[in-house]
């Protein structure tokens, strides 16, 4: 194999490569994790759990209704050629965007429910493991 030229070798690591280094301690791993920490067992309300999917579904439904209104106006009103073309292009675009957001929110809810069940099982098995290991 060929050796890399000295100009390409860098002794200092770039900031991007420092971000990719794995954490060495469990506490720093939990802090940097995007998901909830298993170490903290604070109960969360349903609003805190389902807030993002509810917002996504609400915005998606509003965009979908806006697309329906614009599309209906495009086909029922007698407007100029240019505005009619624009409404016929924009209406279905809002329809599809709103439907996509609504479906994403609807799919997100069962994923969160499954994740909550897995988290409950994980806490249970950790408690069970600590019970038998501490004897």
């Amino acid at each position: 194999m060929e050796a890399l030229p000295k100009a390409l070798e860098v002794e200092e690591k770039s900031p991007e490569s420092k971000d990719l280094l794995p954490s060495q301690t469990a506490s720093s791993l939990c802090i940097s994790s995007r998901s909830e920490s298993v170490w903290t067992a604070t109960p969360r309300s349903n609003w805190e759990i389902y807030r993002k999917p509810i917002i996504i579904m609400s915005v998606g439904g509003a965009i979908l209704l806006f697309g329906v209104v614009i599309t209906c106006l495009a086909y029922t009103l007698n407007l100029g050629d240019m505005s009619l073309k624009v409404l016929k292009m924009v209406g279905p675009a809002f329809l599809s965007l709103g439907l996509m957001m609504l479906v994403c929110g609807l799919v997100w809810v069962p994923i969160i429910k499954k994740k909550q069940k897995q988290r409950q099982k994980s806490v249970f098995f950790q408690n069970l493991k600590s019970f038998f290991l501490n004897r």
Side-chain angles (χ1 to χ4, degrees):
M1 286 207 261
E2 295 179 22
L4 290 174
K6 293 286 184 189
L8 294 177
E9 293 179 11
V10 179
E11 292 180 18
E12 293 182 23
K13 293 187 177 183
S14 65
E16 293 84 12
S17 65
K18 289 180 184 176
D19 292 339
L20 298 175
L21 292 175
S23 300
Q24 298 299 325
T25 62
S27 62
S28 64
L29 179 66
C30 289
I31 291 170
S32 65
S33 174
R34 287 186 177 199
S35 63
E36 282 184 31
S37 173
V38 180
W39 308 106
T40 60
T42 58
R44 294 176 24 177
S45 68
N46 282 339
W47 171 249
E48 290 174 346
I49 294 171
Y50 296 109
R51 174 182 45 132
K52 290 178 185 177
I54 289 172
I55 291 171
I56 293 292
M57 285 187 290
S58 301
V59 170
I63 293 173
L64 180 72
L65 287 176
F66 183 68
V68 167
V69 168
I70 288 180
T71 305
C72 289
L73 288 176
Y75 287 103
T76 57
L77 293 179
N78 292 330
L79 299 171
D81 289 335
M82 188 62 174
S83 60
L84 190 63
K85 287 181 184 179
V86 170
L87 285 178
K88 284 186 178 182
M89 285 191 304
V90 172
F94 278 111
L95 275 169
S96 62
L97 182 66
L99 186 62
M100 181 182 65
M101 288 182 70
L102 185 66
V103 169
C104 285
L106 288 172
V107 168
W108 201 350
V109 171
I111 292 172
I112 289 176
K113 285 183 180 179
K114 188 175 182 180
K115 200 175 190 182
Q116 290 295 323
K117 286 181 184 177
Q118 287 176 348
R119 189 168 289 133
Q120 288 172 353
K121 288 179 186 176
S122 172
V123 170
F124 171 74
F125 286 126
Q126 283 182 354
N127 291 338
L128 191 64
K129 184 174 80 173
S130 66
F131 174 75
F132 283 116
L133 290 178
N134 291 334
R135 291 186 117 196

